[in-house]
Amino acid sequence: MFDDIPTVTLPSGTSIPALGIGTWNMGEARSDEAQEIASIRKAVALGMTVVDTAEMYADGRSEEIVGQAIEGLRDQVFLVSKVYPFNASAKGTIEACERSLKRLGTERLDLYLLHWRGSHPLEETVEAFETLKAQGKITDWGVSNFDTDDMEELFSVPDGRNCAANQVLYNLSRRGPDYDLLPWCQQHGIPVMAYSPIEQGKLLKDHELIRIAKAYQATPAQLALAFILERDGVIAIPKSAKPERVEENRGATDLDISDADWAALDAAFPPPQKKVSLEML
Ligand code: NAP
């Protein structure tokens, strides 16, 4: 048995778990698909019900894998997908969403994100998102890879304040958002989805992370995720295509880190002292 997963409240009032699963690189090889489906189903069974995908991932195959994994479980899942910036015109956004829905085998996304900023005006994309909402094809929309100035610009366009989330690169080794973006989103009630929360596995070799994790009989991945779960309004979406690692990641909720060890982590991964432009992968 694990401790409960903390929750994050969307502007609509809906609560979702602060721990989910990512699916980038799933769907790239047929031989891996059974494991990928098992991992997504494991995450949902363990309460990590935020499932993140995108039309970009494996050219849509990731969405098909997610569709297969959540068959019969749709109501338990908070389903997130993303539109390519080059598709994010008034008409293109709607057509891209319809293709995603088909691949996912569902009639509705819980959250639809603009994957990153492109050349289509924000007004157009927001208008399309609002149309999709009115049509019942999405419940909420948001953005990804938006820095503070992008969020301010978004809030200045019609209906821009209806944004329900911002998904950004955030982990112990990428603490730029701690300086201004995270406080901005917290003040405006916009949940942040932390992507690559274990830096695609690269964080796990850090000696200090390993040392502190060991003191709690925990793994470095669990400690890296606990760092994110400690923050208000932030959701971590670690990707794993191995059910046993999904279970390990779920255990991140059970760490009770002392103030001294949080300080040791801050020393090893210092928070920014000035503005750092948002990084992206
Ligand atoms: P990540 O979640 O930080 O790391 C995933 C990698 O770590 C995989 O190679 C995985 O391998 C491994 N891993 C997972 N749990 C582990 C554990 N407990 N121990 C050891 N290794 C472990 O990186 P990510 O996939 O880049 O980010 C997560 C999700 O965020 C993505 O899948 C995607 O949904 C989203 N994302 C969004 C954007 C954006 O622009 N919006 C960009 C990047 C990512 P195995 O699968 O073999 O376990």
Side-chain angles (χ1 to χ4, degrees):
M1 280 295 281
F2 295 104
D3 289 354
D4 287 346
I5 302 176
T7 57
V8 169
T9 306
L10 301 178
S12 65
T14 300
S15 279
I16 59 172
L19 192 58
I21 184 165
T23 66
W24 194 13
N25 293 316
M26 290 194 190
E28 296 284 356
R30 293 271 158 183
S31 54
D32 294 337
E33 290 184 356
Q35 280 283 86
E36 290 163 357
I37 290 169
S39 296
I40 297 166
R41 292 183 76 86
K42 181 81 175 178
V44 176
L46 293 172
M48 301 156 75
T49 53
V50 176
V51 180
D52 181 78
T53 185
E55 63 171 330
M56 181 184 108
Y57 302 162
D59 283 334
R61 185 66 190 150
S62 165
E63 289 182 324
E64 289 174 356
I65 299 288
V66 170
Q68 288 179 41
I70 66 172
E71 215 181 315
L73 305 174
R74 177 66 190 91
D75 292 347
Q76 295 173 46
V77 170
F78 186 85
L79 187 57
V80 185
S81 193
K82 313 184 197 80
V83 58
Y84 262 129
F86 59 75
N87 281 337
S89 63
K91 192 161 166 271
T93 305
I94 291 173
E95 290 170 353
C97 181
E98 285 166 352
R99 289 193 297 271
S100 288
L101 290 173
K102 206 164 173 203
R103 285 190 289 264
L104 286 158
T106 187
E107 291 179 352
R108 177 184 50 83
L109 290 170
D110 296 294
L111 183 63
Y112 196 37
L113 307 177
L114 173 60
H115 209 147
W116 62 90
R117 279 196 82 165
S119 56
H120 292 293
L122 284 178
E123 288 87 337
E124 259 194 53
T125 311
V126 171
E127 192 191 315
F129 281 153
E130 288 293 325
T131 302
L132 287 167
K133 253 166 77 170
Q135 292 174 341
K137 289 175 183 157
I138 65 173
T139 305
D140 263 313
W141 63 265
V143 292
S144 177
N145 297 299
F146 270 44
D147 208 340
T148 313
D149 53 349
D150 299 310
M151 290 306 291
E152 275 166 354
E153 195 180 325
L154 177 65
F155 267 43
S156 74
V157 310
D159 293 325
R161 287 170 182 262
N162 291 346
C163 174
N166 184 14
Q167 184 176 119
V168 297
L169 177 59
Y170 180 59
N171 63 48
L172 274 167
S173 64
R174 310 270 195 172
R175 294 191 63 173
D178 275 335
Y179 188 76
D180 61 337
L181 181 60
L182 207 53
W184 191 97
C185 289
Q186 285 164 337
Q187 275 157 23
H188 291 82
I190 307 285
V192 168
M193 298 180 76
Y195 76 67
S196 308
I198 57 170
E199 190 64 16
Q200 301 190 320
K202 293 181 203 86
L203 255 180
L204 310 182
K205 297 186 197 99
D206 182 87
H207 294 301
E208 190 64 350
L209 190 69
I210 294 169
R211 183 191 70 76
I212 299 170
K214 263 193 189 149
Y216 294 87
Q217 285 89 48
T219 67
Q222 289 173 329
L223 181 55
L225 294 171
F227 165 82
I228 290 170
L229 294 176
E230 185 72 5
R231 273 133 186 86
D232 283 340
V234 187
I235 300 146
I237 46 166
K239 174 262 174 184
S240 179
K242 298 193 170 70
E244 66 278 12
R245 283 186 177 168
V246 172
E247 191 156 351
E248 175 188 331
N249 294 344
R250 173 65 181 84
T253 53
D254 293 18
L255 276 65
D256 195 5
I257 308 297
S258 70
D259 289 347
D261 283 327
W262 285 130
L265 268 184
D266 275 348
F269 301 96
Q273 298 303 313
K274 60 180 174 49
K275 170 71 186 167
V276 178
S277 291
L278 183 63
E279 300 169 285
M280 66 182 280
L281 290 182

